């Protein structure tokens, strides 16, 4: 059995949920509430010592990193392949999934964190905040939390992250002008990875992610939303929204 | 035929050279002189618009990104496989290659750049430097060059990169205490990726990469150096050393 540990269907959790649903995999869903810092609790750290979601347990082994999880399930359950059928196509796919992990996702994630953290931490005492912070295994994550919660990020830093999101959208647009899907003619994990970062972009970055400037990106986004696997992933139970715990965020980033 | 564009056998260029030599691949080697900024010249930008090495041209297609190139050749030329033979083994391998790309290599590359750039740019006029800079396609690279060459990096930034190199060495040590190779029992692209960053560590970071603190890492490094493929990669013709153009660098970083 596949045991998938994930948060609400967004970003890296959405990336694995879309792949699992597209492939029609049966799995045990374990919701990890990031807003209650469950990813840093001892129980979860046994599954992923880095304290990050998603993580997969299968066949007695653990797999971390959303991109690696998606490659793993695509190898183990090849019936509905999510990789192009040529080596060059797979290389194009991996250049995209790498770009998402190293560039697109970090920029977006920093912005999300910037707009979200105070809604999470404002209700904590300083001591509680320090306690939560001390449990975070990765120093980079601790630094990100502290800077965002205490000092805030300087405007030029926010601008730099926005610039990277724009570069990412423009890069998708350029490719989608030529190809139906990001790695070529075939829907693949490249589309899954990019889509996981994209549902909120037309609203939050309407100044550059819109019908006029990036029509192929918008068309691709619409085609993604029509897919059954994507619909099923986005419709996964979301305990945060049901309980009203989802923190408020501004419409524009 | 495989056309490989690469620099001297270090870092990401070494990563592909080791894989190609381990697999016994016949390829056309095209040396790109980074110290003359050849990676930003128009001819090379047609091969990789990002202006980075290595890059591969094969079968009428181009593949960039050293990690993707290594996965590509391992798929196309499976005779000497460089991936473990189980899906969990391959997942472990990919967690390592991703860690190298996102954490270990960037930290080391920033330090290398810090200690190297002035040897390269001191002989340039300000106008020449600006001209070279204006040709760099990626803004992140332009910023890195300008900061290192003009202001230098603050001590706390250097310390943070050193810390990340130490985390990387410790992580290898922990794994190699349990396993012969980084992804398990099998030599794989995980070893290739980590090794590409490691030959200089025992000298440059002798305070934490040494026989006493990290014996398994040192033993692994020695075993890597004994491999024919690794020897052949490190012995690739190095026009920089032959012409005396290799910039001087301090022994310790």
């Amino acid at each position: 059995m596949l045991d998938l540990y994930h948060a609400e269907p967004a970003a890296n959790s959405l990336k694995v949920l879309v792949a699992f649903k597209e492939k029609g995999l049966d799995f045990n869903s374990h919701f990890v509430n990031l807003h209650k810092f469950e990813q840093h609790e001892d129980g979860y750290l046994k599954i992923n010592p880095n304290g990050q979601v998603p993580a997969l347990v299968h066949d007695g082994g653990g797999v971390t990193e959303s991109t690696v999880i998606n490659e793993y399930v695509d190898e183990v359950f090849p019936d509905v392949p999510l990789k192009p059928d040529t080596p060059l196509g797979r290389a194009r796919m991996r250049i995209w999934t790498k770009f998402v992990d190293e560039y697109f996702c970090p920029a977006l994630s920093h912005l999300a964190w910037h707009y979200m953290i105070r809604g999470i931490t404002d209700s904590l005492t300083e001591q509680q905040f320090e306690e939560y912070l001390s449990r975070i295994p990765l120093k980079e994550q601790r630094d990100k939390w502290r800077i965002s919660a205490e000092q805030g990020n300087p405007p030029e830093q926010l601008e730099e992250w926005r610039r990277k999101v724009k570069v990412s959208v423009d890069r998708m647009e350029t490719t989608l002008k030529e190809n139906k899907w990001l790695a070529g003619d075939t829907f693949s994990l490249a589309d899954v990875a990019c889509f996981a970062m994209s549902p909120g972009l037309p609203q939050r970055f309407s100044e550059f992610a819109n019908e006029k400037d990036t029509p192929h990106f918008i068309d691709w986004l619409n085609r993604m939303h029509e897919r059954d696997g994507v619909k099923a992933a986005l419709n996964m139970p979301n305990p945060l929204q049901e309980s009203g715990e989802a923190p408020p965020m501004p419409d524009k980033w």
Side-chain angles (χ1 to χ4, degrees), chain A residues 2 23 25 56 58-59 63 69-79 83:
Chain A
L2 292 159
K23 294 181 74 67
L25 300 178
L56 174 69
H58 179 241
D59 235 3
V63 183
I69 292 171
N70 280 358
E71 290 254 14
Y72 174 84
V73 292
D74 205 50
E75 286 187 357
V76 178
F77 306 98
D79 283 353
K83 292 197 292 286

Side-chain angles (χ1 to χ4, degrees), chain A residues 21-22 224-236:
Chain A
K21 291 293 185 182
E22 283 282 337
M224 290 295 294
H225 275 291
E226 283 160 16
R227 297 181 71 93
D228 289 342
V230 170
K231 284 184 198 164
L234 288 170
N235 283 331
M236 283 289 289

Side-chain angles (χ1 to χ4, degrees), chain A residues 121-130:
Chain A
T121 58
D122 275 358
S123 61
L124 303 175
T125 66
E126 201 181 312
Q127 198 190 343
Q128 283 173 318
F129 179 70
E130 291 297 330

